[in-house]
Amino acid sequence: MAAVSSGAQRVVVADDSRLMRRILSDALGRRGFDVVATAADGDEALAACRRHRPDAMTLDLAMPGLDGIGVLKALKAGQAAPVPTVVVSAFSPAHGARAVDALAEGAFDLVAKPAMGDSMESFTTELAKKVSDAAEGGKLRRRSALRASIRPLAAAPSPRPRVAAGSRRFVLIASSTGGPKALGELVPRLPAPLGTGSVIVQHMPPGFTASLATRLDTASRLTVREAGGGEAMDPRHLYIAPGGAHLRMGADRRVRLSDQAPMGGLRPRADLTIADAAQIYGPALLLVVLTGMGKDGLEGARAVKAAGGRILCEAESSCVVYGMPRAVAEAGLADDVLPLDQLPAVIAREAGA
């Protein structure tokens, strides 16, 4: 393993496979991380977190004894100090569902384990980026919580003007890191029908968005499906862009899937979907930007404002990572910035449900 600097981000690696622990540790070590401990099961992972207080942890889900979901629940219950966690999981329908459950339990992000024939370089690059983002995101959350604890209470914002009677909008939701958990709280509280239809662009690896759609569908009044291409917009349906494809929209208001190259490392890229929707719906578009790392959605938001549409952003107080909504809000493009628990009612009102 490569030598690490004293300022390196400190990581615990938890996986029941000795080979996988070695692969992950070596991959992170080569990218400059300090792997302070490895764990073969959930109890060892929690003990390592208590002992080392790492900046981040990689977590397998299928482990003997206390599994990955159990570790996340234990962290939420305060059995160790909070640790931003990146789930490293094999993909199958069953594993995909468990991975989405892990994100709903507070995991920071998800990396699919490499399958036979996959590029190890691509896997290592994605793993290093997401672990680094998790470590940095954890620091930002702690700073934000500290600022909130010493900040004087702000006056309640004045009510925003209501949507004109009878008007209905198309709803487009963009999210990334922390998005599955936020969507799990938001989507079940949305009415059906909703506006003139709705779409979600959530950054996830290929295969896992179908599990997310199933989870949301079970809890929601809207019918939630992973888009397959060709779907017409329907106020009772909500479509999720599949991982590994860009979701585009044509003048016929039907979904099209594109395998064009990733943009900024992302496929799907929310900016592409938003720009299409702005061109089609104009002032009858409502963009909602939730928690996420980076600035995907910013250029799309500019197109929405140019077309006369409306934009809502999730407030920093409820975001796992205040990146995507911050970029839109600080550009002066947001019509309102609201904590997650206030968004469902405002979306329903703005969409004309």
Side-chain angles (χ1 to χ4, degrees):
M1 189 182 297
V4 296
S5 70
S6 59
Q9 292 170 328
R10 303 167 68 255
V11 182
V12 166
V13 169
D15 197 293
D16 66 334
S17 164
R18 179 178 297 179
L19 175 61
M20 200 65 202
R21 291 197 300 274
R22 179 63 182 270
I23 289 172
L24 294 173
S25 297
D26 287 352
L28 292 169
R30 287 194 301 272
R31 295 301 178 102
F33 295 88
D34 181 8
V35 178
V36 294
T38 63
D41 59 42
D43 291 312
E44 288 185 8
L46 286 175
C49 289
R50 295 187 195 104
R51 185 181 310 115
H52 297 283
R53 299 182 67 88
D55 299 309
M57 173 170 58
T58 71
L59 182 67
D60 186 23
L61 295 180
M63 296 187 294
L66 188 67
D67 65 6
I69 300 291
V71 171
L72 292 167
K73 289 181 176 179
L75 290 173
K76 284 174 64 176
Q79 294 183 31
V83 181
T85 300
V86 176
V87 169
V88 183
S89 174
F91 174 72
S92 69
H95 282 108
R98 293 282 285 166
V100 171
D101 289 344
L103 293 170
E105 289 292 344
F108 186 88
D109 214 329
L110 170 67
V111 177
K113 286 183 177 178
M116 187 71 68
D118 286 351
S119 164
M120 282 303 298
E121 181 63 24
S122 296
F123 168 74
T124 299
T125 298
E126 181 183 13
L127 175 70
K129 181 181 186 308
K130 290 187 175 180
V131 171
S132 179
D133 287 348
E136 187 58 30
K139 292 176 183 177
L140 291 174
R141 286 287 289 173
R142 290 191 291 273
R143 291 171 193 157
S144 177
L146 179 60
R147 288 198 303 270
S149 69
I150 62 176
R151 186 185 300 142
L153 292 175
S158 57
R160 296 282 178 171
R162 288 185 173 271
V163 174
S167 65
R168 299 171 74 206
R169 290 192 171 97
F170 181 76
V171 180
L172 201 163
I173 301 171
S175 52
S176 185
T177 307
K181 184 174 186 296
L183 292 168
E185 297 177 27
L186 172 70
V187 174
R189 295 175 59 193
L190 296 175
L194 178 66
T196 59
S198 48
V199 163
I200 292 171
V201 179
Q202 163 67 45
H203 301 150
M204 291 183 81
F208 292 97
T209 39
S211 297
L212 175 62
T214 299
R215 181 186 180 93
L216 293 176
D217 182 65
T218 300
S220 305
R221 284 169 282 184
L222 290 162
T223 298
V224 185
R225 296 286 185 267
E226 182 186 56
E231 293 91 349
M233 294 300 100
D234 181 330
R236 294 187 176 275
H237 285 71
L238 187 161
Y239 294 104
I240 299 181
H246 297 299
L247 191 151
R248 309 303 303 265
M249 300 182 68
D252 60 358
R253 302 190 179 190
R254 287 182 177 271
V255 168
R256 291 176 173 81
L257 301 183
S258 167
D259 61 359
Q260 72 186 88
M263 294 181 59
L266 299 173
R267 189 170 62 189
R269 178 87 184 188
D271 282 322
L272 293 175
T273 311
I274 298 166
D276 286 349
Q279 185 173 6
I280 296 164
Y281 291 97
L285 173 62
L286 174 64
L287 172 63
V288 182
V289 183
L290 301 180
T291 175
M293 187 77 67
K295 297 183 178 180
D296 187 22
L298 175 59
E299 292 308 311
R302 297 189 199 280
V304 173
K305 295 310 292 184
R310 297 273 294 173
I311 300 175
L312 303 176
C313 288
E314 183 180 354
E316 182 178 7
S317 60
S318 62
C319 282
V320 172
V321 178
Y322 190 52
M324 286 169 54
R326 179 198 292 274
V328 174
E330 291 188 348
L333 300 170
D335 292 291
D336 219 338
V337 178
L338 298 162
L340 185 63
D341 62 353
Q342 294 182 27
L343 280 172
V346 177
I347 291 170
R349 187 186 74 209
E350 294 268 359

